[in-house]
Amino acid sequence: MQLDTEFCRSFFPPMNNGVVYLENAGGSYVPRQVIDRLTNAMQGCQNQPFWYFESSKDLTQRLETSIQAIAELISATTDEIVVGPSTTLNVYVLAQALRPLFSAGDELIVTNQDHEANSGAWRRLEEFGVVVREWQVDPETGELDLAGLDALLSERTKLVCFPHVSNVVGSINPVKEIAAKAHEVGAMVCVDGVAYAAHGLIDVADWDVDFYLFSLYKIYGPHLAVLYGKKEAMALCRNQNHFFHEGKIPWILNPGGLNYESVASLSGIVEYFEQVHDHHFGPGGNALKDRVGKVFELFAKQEQELATPLIAWLNAKEGVRLIGQKTADRSKRMPTISFSVDGRSSQDVVEALAMRNFAAGHGHFYGHRCVEALGYSDPDDGVIRISMVHYNTGEEMQKLIAVLEEII
């Protein structure tokens, strides 16, 4: 079955602005289902939840519905997820909550492939005597080799932090296998799933991860982020909230509390997925996870078809360096594609694209260490990044290739 892209695009108002949007890894468009829920919450119940008057009850119900929907979507329970303002802040709070568990000489493993969100907060724990060891990428490909992790793991390792998918390299790291390796030495894992979540169904239970993070504004939602923590891992965390929240999981990891109107809109993400499912497969059926899983299979097929001609063109183009896997195979990489052009500023290329109504980005995308490791002397100029999701079209890709040929 082929994804009905026009049906999907009909839910996203910015599709009519004349711009080919290819900066989805920085933040996706938002469907009407989410927009309507946010607007309705602000119009009908812009007050505190958890009280006895009707508009408060209304908001409470909206919040509970949204949190239940997100938990079910990733195979978690509602007391295992925190909805916070950003992945960067969620990791920072988590690092502070786990810090008292670590003694001087304990070891944490981080990568130089990560977005700084899942790196910087952990590296700061060196101030307390924790030893931070770096799992490094191959400087040519940007890939992480499991043999490199094996060389770092020991009985002193307490935590392994890594990306499911790098937002620069695009390659998929084997989360389940890495988690198993960490658990064998008694360590926990903290996985940055931000660059994965828009493209594949998250299954924290099957992967047996201790902590998993992703940003909702990159999976068709508002500017919020989710921190998942396995119950036994959450129980180890020290309270980062007001003293009277001591012992209240997951509130101990959400010192700012919920952004009510935005959280109330999150059920719209799942509603969008379900409407795509019903359009293609008919209404009803199995559990939410299975229905959305079928939708993501359609997304994956569409995204692989989008990435295939672009990656082929970049591979064949003289003077172009493609980062990561040289294939569009969705078992190996996501449609987040970074490259550079010999003798050309990445900024110049992106500005030339913008002049032709193509939205893309350049730089290090907060993967500063990764871009440096790849040999770029000016990470601020960095690489050009083209990132698609399911609502992009083959026609857009053909136009992009023609424009890149002209520019380069």
Side-chain angles (χ1 to χ4, degrees), residues 75-134:
S75 299
T77 57
T78 56
D79 57 350
E80 292 178 313
I81 65 169
V82 173
V83 182
S86 69
T87 294
T88 296
L89 192 56
N90 282 348
V91 175
Y92 180 82
V93 172
L94 177 62
Q96 297 306 306
L98 292 179
R99 181 177 64 80
L101 302 181
F102 304 135
S103 302
D106 285 346
E107 296 184 358
L108 308 183
I109 295 174
V110 297
T111 82
N112 62 347
Q113 192 190 60
D114 266 287
H115 185 292
E116 192 66 13
N118 198 32
S119 179
W122 302 116
R123 291 173 189 265
R124 290 192 184 102
L125 298 186
E126 285 184 311
E127 301 171 14
F128 304 95
V130 175
V131 177
V132 176
R133 309 191 72 186
E134 187 176 80

Side-chain angles (χ1 to χ4, degrees), residues 176-365:
K176 192 171 183 177
E177 185 176 354
I178 295 171
K181 285 177 176 289
H183 292 158
E184 284 176 7
V185 299
M188 295 188 292
V189 296
C190 181
V191 186
D192 175 2
V194 172
Y196 177 90
H199 310 288
L201 188 65
I202 297 169
D203 193 338
V204 293
D206 179 62
W207 300 336
D208 194 25
V209 292
D210 302 287
F211 300 102
Y212 192 95
L213 302 108
F214 61 97
S215 296
L216 291 158
Y217 65 95
K218 297 179 183 180
I219 62 163
Y220 322 111
H223 274 78
L224 294 175
V226 170
L227 160 61
Y228 158 81
K230 191 186 295 183
K231 285 183 180 179
E232 49 266 44
M234 284 273 205
L236 298 173
C237 295
R238 301 297 174 86
N239 182 27
Q240 301 300 304
N241 209 330
H242 302 305
F243 75 92
F244 45 80
H245 286 308
E246 186 70 46
K248 296 178 183 177
I249 297 173
W251 294 103
I252 59 171
L253 291 176
N254 201 356
L258 297 175
N259 182 315
Y260 299 134
E261 62 272 18
S262 294
V263 173
S265 76
L266 299 182
S267 57
I269 300 172
V270 177
E271 186 196 357
Y272 168 66
F273 292 154
E274 294 210 90
Q275 287 192 248
V276 174
H277 171 275
D278 293 351
H279 177 75
H280 291 84
F281 303 104
N286 298 319
L288 173 66
K289 174 184 171 182
D290 298 322
R291 296 196 301 275
V292 178
K294 293 174 74 172
V295 170
F296 272 108
E297 288 174 5
L298 289 179
F299 288 176
K301 181 180 179 182
Q302 167 74 359
E303 291 171 355
Q304 181 169 312
E305 290 176 357
L306 293 173
T308 296
L310 177 60
I311 287 179
W313 183 83
L314 292 169
N315 274 328
K317 187 67 176 176
E318 186 177 352
V320 170
R321 179 189 181 189
L322 173 63
I323 306 300
Q325 298 277 345
K326 312 303 182 187
T327 174
D329 185 343
R330 274 295 302 271
S331 67
K332 297 179 179 179
R333 74 169 300 151
M334 292 301 185
T336 299
I337 301 167
S338 298
F339 64 97
S340 59
V341 180
D342 292 348
R344 293 289 298 275
S345 161
S346 293
Q347 178 177 336
D348 288 347
V349 174
V350 168
E351 286 182 346
L353 284 170
M355 290 175 64
R356 293 160 175 81
N357 289 326
F358 289 83
H362 77 92
H364 54 74
F365 305 100

